[in-house]
């Protein structure tokens, strides 16, 4: 819905390609959600709340992002879509991470990663990528590298060059940070 309006910045966080256009698109999605009758398809409501939450996160509106993504996650759980639970759980974890709530982000990433490993291996590369970027930001570079290397292997096997490039960019950033950390370490 909004993919074309979202990119990544130098720190690999999602940001708008055009802030005004993203804000307008989020406004249109909010209006569609408000106009939907109560008996609307829960899967459509889940998709709308997820994309509104993602848009709000990219715009830096963290409280709104968490509210909509929590609603989307609750709907995914209620309709029994564990794949949507994994994807939306990762988005909600990102929203917490962007807002600086590391503890909530940790729990959500861990849950999504465990569910992907056990029930949705097709989503494992996404869970590893998001978790790896979280670990990188948190300074756990060795663990971040491990997660991102596993994600890269899975993405190479999928044959999706865009996903491979995204993971390689994250791995390159980890290697850069590891190099900086090694250079800053005291020598004996």
């Amino acid at each position: 819905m909004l993919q074309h309006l979202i990119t990544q910045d130098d720190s690999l966080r999602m940001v708008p390609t055009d802030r005004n256009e993203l804000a307008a698109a989020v406004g249109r999605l909010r209006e569609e959600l408000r106009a939907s009758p109560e008996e609307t398809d829960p899967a459509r409501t889940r998709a709308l709340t997820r994309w509104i939450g993602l848009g709000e996160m990219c715009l830096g509106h963290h409280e709104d992002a968490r509210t909509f993504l929590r609603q989307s996650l609750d709907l995914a759980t209620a309709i029994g879509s564990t794949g949507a639970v994994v994807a939306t759980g990762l988005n909600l974890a990102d929203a917490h991470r962007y807002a600086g709530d590391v503890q909530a982000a940790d729990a959500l990433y861990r849950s999504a990663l465990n569910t992907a490993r056990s029930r949705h291996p097709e989503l494992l590369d996404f869970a590893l990528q998001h978790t790896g970027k979280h670990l990188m930001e948190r300074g756990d570079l060795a663990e971040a590298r491990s997660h991102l290397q596993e994600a890269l292997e899975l993405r190479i096997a999928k044959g999706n060059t865009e996903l491979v490039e995204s993971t390689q960019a994250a791995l390159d950033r980890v290697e850069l940070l590891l190099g900086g950390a090694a250079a800053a370490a005291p020598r004996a």
Side-chain angles (χ1 to χ4, degrees):
M1 280 185 205
L2 302 175
Q3 298 94 319
H4 64 289
L5 296 171
I6 299 171
T7 191
Q8 290 186 0
D9 65 10
D10 291 340
S11 62
L12 305 177
R13 285 186 173 209
M14 291 183 282
V15 295
T17 56
D18 180 320
R19 186 172 184 77
N20 292 335
E21 184 55 37
L22 180 59
V26 168
R28 289 188 295 273
L29 292 178
R30 281 177 172 258
E31 185 54 40
E32 181 181 342
L33 183 63
R34 274 191 295 276
S36 298
E38 294 245 347
E39 62 278 352
T40 297
D41 175 17
R44 177 67 181 162
T45 301
R46 184 202 59 75
L48 285 171
T49 53
R50 179 175 180 232
W51 281 105
I52 292 167
L54 282 169
E56 295 291 8
M57 179 178 67
C58 293
L59 292 167
H61 306 148
H62 303 298
E63 190 61 38
D64 283 347
R66 289 181 297 212
T67 297
F68 280 100
L69 289 167
R70 171 54 63 193
Q71 183 181 355
S72 183
L73 182 59
D74 291 346
L75 286 166
T77 301
I79 63 177
S81 176
T82 55
V85 167
V86 170
T88 308
L90 291 169
N91 299 144
L92 182 56
D94 286 345
H96 280 281
R97 175 169 54 103
Y98 287 21
D101 186 353
V102 175
Q103 188 173 11
D106 276 338
L108 287 160
Y109 286 122
R110 203 170 20 260
S111 176
L113 185 56
N114 289 340
T115 302
R117 279 197 195 283
S118 65
R119 299 186 62 192
H120 287 280
E122 74 281 5
L123 298 175
L124 183 56
D125 60 312
F126 289 101
L128 288 162
Q129 171 93 359
H130 284 256
T131 305
K133 288 175 18 178
H134 167 65
L135 292 166
M136 176 179 57
E137 280 191 21
R138 187 176 97 174
D140 190 348
L141 300 178
E143 195 67 21
R145 178 198 279 161
S146 173
H147 280 68
L148 292 167
Q149 285 174 332
E150 185 179 353
L152 183 62
E153 291 170 13
L154 292 169
R155 288 179 166 190
I156 288 170
K158 281 184 174 182
N160 184 320
T161 56
E162 187 176 322
L163 294 177
V164 169
E165 289 171 7
S166 172
T167 303
Q168 189 60 60
L171 262 172
D172 291 347
R173 181 148 175 85
V174 167
E175 294 302 332
L176 180 68
L177 293 169
L178 281 166
R187 298 181 194 260

